[in-house]
Amino acid sequence: MARIKKGDQVIVIAGKDKGKTGRVLEVLKDADRVIVEGVQRVTKHTKVGQSQQGARTGGIETVEAPIHASNVMPVDPKTKKRTRVGFRVEEGVRPDGRKRTVRVRYAKKSGEDL
């Protein structure tokens, strides 16, 4: 199970954007990187083209670039500070009556579920 998932609120702990917080937009699992909203913004030059409606596209735009997953930490929902992630095994009951074990991610500082 992943420690950081899409939609998590994270804080950057290293790099030029240290201290910034944002929501994870995408997780690049094979490269061990994440794309965080408003962090690691770079300028991208796109070639000028024409769309179907006749509008011109292209120019200079700013987009979020991937950042290594080790440089971000999840934000604790209770204290709003960074925290490590732990895993807890809970037992639940299915509608047909059988027992089922589920792994749940939780914040180690407060014990709240992530």
Side-chain angles (χ1 to χ4, degrees):
M1 188 175 232
R3 296 189 187 284
I4 298 175
K5 290 187 174 183
K6 180 179 177 179
D8 283 354
Q9 189 73 20
V10 295
I11 186 168
V12 179
I13 60 170
K16 69 177 185 177
D17 293 320
K18 183 177 179 177
K20 287 187 180 178
T21 60
R23 190 159 301 282
V24 175
L25 300 175
E26 189 178 351
V27 177
L28 306 172
K29 196 170 158 182
D30 55 337
D32 202 24
R33 292 179 174 268
V34 293
I35 297 176
V36 182
E37 186 177 32
V39 175
Q40 191 74 18
R41 303 214 16 123
V42 294
T43 56
K44 185 176 181 182
H45 296 262
T46 56
K47 194 172 184 178
V48 175
Q50 221 167 6
S51 66
Q52 295 289 338
Q53 293 83 19
R56 297 180 66 82
T57 59
I60 301 172
E61 54 186 33
T62 57
V63 294
E64 288 93 359
I67 186 170
H68 199 271
S70 67
N71 292 335
V72 296
M73 284 184 82
V75 174
D76 193 326
K78 198 172 196 178
T79 62
K80 304 295 186 220
K81 293 183 179 179
R82 67 186 192 176
T83 183
R84 290 182 292 158
V85 178
F87 296 96
R88 178 173 58 233
V89 178
E90 293 181 353
E91 276 196 18
V93 180
R94 287 184 173 174
D96 59 355
R98 294 190 327 196
K99 289 185 179 178
R100 179 179 173 208
T101 59
V102 181
R103 290 179 68 197
V104 178
R105 294 183 313 143
Y106 72 96
K108 287 214 172 184
K109 277 196 177 172
S110 66
E112 293 281 318
D113 288 352
L114 292 177

